[in-house]
């Protein structure tokens, strides 16, 4: 099988990978590709095959099956995205017991207040970069408050998390991960010493399973790291994409303004149409397996393209059309199977409140025509723009 070099597509692929994914899907659901950063991997692009691969135990989430350790796991420690059962089952059970729907729903008034305050601060200028003004500060404040992280450290976390999910290629990624590890160690020890508190990290420190099992320091560090990175960076882009989709589809924006009950459809369709995670994090074949008629040898890295799967016309008719009345159930934006995103309810809550507040407060909200071209985030992990200038 020939190797498709995604890097050869250049900036056009970063800005709009969907025509390229469509061409690949037409040729088959699985391909051997070279990613823009030079790695050769198997890429799953069909929806049915992607859904199956996300829940296939023959595809391990741990690089240890290849005798390797991913950089973040080596420095930070184990987290839910990088372990398999039974370790994953144990960790998820301990975390899920504290990261409950009730805890998320209890955040609603705080999320609404934060959103209102941020929009109040935006309003007088008549224009803003939506990322800096709302889409970034809202989820980082929420996740930092949830974990009990001091407000003065938020900007530092932004620099670290952006470098981790979209590395600059300057070698700063390792510095960011090491900085996060040292900070989280100190934070966990401070919270242990302080005793019980209402924040999630304190609850995780105190959490015990029925058999007395508790999270170790490396596990606490890994979980806090995952919640900070996954719980913030993806929500930034979900908020931004939801607004960008509406402002580039005036008919859909008009429909939502006329029928506010369509808001849930906005968020779910944005997740399907241009979700914040382009490809799920690496999987590794434990054994030879066949996916979509393609033989993948044992010991190979595999990427599942959530973005491509969610534009598969076999699953979603007219998939390139953004349609807030579509039934998008079955989309893969939050993954599938045992690694389905634990933070999905929180991301949905924040995005709904953010978009609703913007539409209510700014009846003439539009893209800033003087802003120039969008700058897309590099790589094929996180999908989004660095800035979204708007005016009202």
């Amino acid at each position: 099988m020939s190797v498709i070099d995604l890097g050869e597509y250049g900036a056009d692929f970063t800005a709009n990978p969907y025509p390229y994914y469509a061409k690949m899907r037409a040729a088959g659901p699985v391909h051997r590709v070279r990613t823009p950063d030079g790695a050769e991997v198997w890429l799953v692009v069909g929806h049915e095959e992607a859904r199956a691969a996300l829940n296939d135990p023959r595809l391990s989430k741990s690089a240890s099956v290849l005798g390797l350790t991913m950089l973040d796991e080596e420095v930070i420690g184990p987290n839910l995205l990088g372990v398999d059962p039974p370790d994953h089952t144990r960790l998820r059970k301990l975390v899920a017991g504290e990261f409950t729907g009730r805890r998320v729903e209890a955040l609603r008034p705080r999320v609404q207040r934060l959103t209102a305050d941020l929009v109040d601060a935006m309003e007088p200028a008549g224009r803003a970069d939506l990322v800096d003004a709302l889409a970034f500060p809202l989820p980082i404040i929420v996740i930092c408050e949830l974990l009990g992280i001091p407000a003065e450290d938020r900007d530092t976390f932004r620099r670290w998390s952006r470098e981790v999910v979209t590395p600059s290629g300057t070698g700063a990624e390792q510095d960011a991960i090491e900085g996060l590890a040292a900070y989280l160690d100190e934070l966990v020890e401070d919270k242990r010493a302080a005793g019980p508190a209402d924040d999630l990290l304190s609850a995780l420190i105190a959490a015990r399973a029925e058999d007395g099992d508790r999270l170790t320091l490396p596990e606490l560090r890994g979980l806090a790291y995952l919640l900070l990175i996954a719980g913030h960076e993806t929500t930034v882009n979900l908020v931004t994409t939801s607004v960008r989709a509406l402002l580039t589809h005036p008919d859909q924006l008009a429909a939502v303004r006329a029928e506010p009950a369509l808001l849930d459809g906005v968020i779910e369709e944005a997740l399907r149409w241009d979700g914040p995670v382009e490809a799920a994090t690496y999987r590794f074949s434990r054994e030879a397996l066949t996916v979509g008629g393609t033989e993948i040898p044992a010991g190979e890295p595999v990427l599942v393209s959530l973005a491509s799967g969610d534009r598969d016309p076999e699953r979603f008719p007219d998939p390139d059309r953004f349609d807030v009345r579509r039934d998008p159930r079955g989309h893969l934006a939050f993954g599938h199977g045992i690694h389905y995103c634990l933070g999905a309810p929180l991301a949905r809550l924040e995005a709904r409140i953010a978009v609703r507040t913007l539409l209510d407060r700014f009846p003439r909200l539009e893209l800033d025509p003087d802003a120039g071209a969008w700058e897309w985030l590099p790589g094929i992990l996180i999908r989004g723009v660095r800035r979204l200038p708007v005016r009202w």
Side-chain angles (χ1 to χ4, degrees), residues 213-373:
D213 185 25
R214 299 183 70 168
L215 294 163
T216 65
L217 175 59
E219 289 168 346
L220 285 164
R221 186 199 307 132
L223 288 168
Y225 165 81
L226 180 61
L227 289 167
L228 277 166
I229 300 297
H232 138 243
E233 198 71 41
T234 52
T235 308
V236 172
N237 293 301
L238 175 55
V239 172
T240 308
T241 297
S242 298
V243 175
R244 175 170 54 85
L246 285 173
L247 297 186
T248 54
H249 295 81
D251 59 326
Q252 301 298 301
L253 176 59
V256 175
R257 288 199 180 281
E259 193 176 340
L262 290 173
L263 181 61
D264 283 358
V266 173
I267 305 306
E268 294 307 309
E269 177 68 341
L271 284 162
R272 181 207 67 83
W273 179 73
D274 202 13
V277 180
E278 188 170 338
T281 53
Y282 277 106
R283 284 164 164 77
F284 306 92
S285 54
R286 298 177 182 274
E287 59 189 74
L289 70 156
T290 300
V291 179
T294 297
E295 178 83 9
I296 298 177
E300 293 280 335
V302 177
L303 285 176
V304 178
S305 177
L306 309 181
S308 179
D310 281 342
R311 293 279 190 112
D312 189 338
E314 294 294 319
R315 178 62 183 80
F316 298 105
D318 196 6
D320 294 329
R321 180 168 56 91
F322 178 76
D323 180 3
V324 299
R325 297 183 187 277
R326 182 194 300 272
D327 180 357
R329 284 179 296 182
H331 72 67
L332 303 172
F334 288 121
H336 176 65
I338 65 169
H339 290 282
Y340 183 84
C341 178
L342 191 67
L346 179 57
R348 286 183 165 112
L349 174 71
E350 292 179 66
R352 286 169 184 154
I353 289 175
V355 175
R356 177 79 277 150
T357 303
L358 283 168
L359 295 183
D360 286 346
R361 293 285 293 277
F362 301 137
R364 298 178 62 189
L365 184 69
E366 63 179 0
L367 295 172
D368 191 332
D370 301 324

Side-chain angles (χ1 to χ4, degrees), residues 104-118:
V104 171
E105 186 56 33
L107 291 170
R108 181 182 295 275
R110 178 60 176 155
V111 173
Q112 185 65 69
R113 181 70 260 163
L114 284 170
T115 304
D117 289 346
L118 290 165

Side-chain angles (χ1 to χ4, degrees), residues 17-28 31 45 308 311 313 319-320:
Y18 296 104
Y20 299 98
Y21 288 140
K23 186 177 180 180
M24 280 187 262
R25 283 194 310 270
H31 296 274
V45 293
S308 179
R311 293 279 190 112
D320 294 329

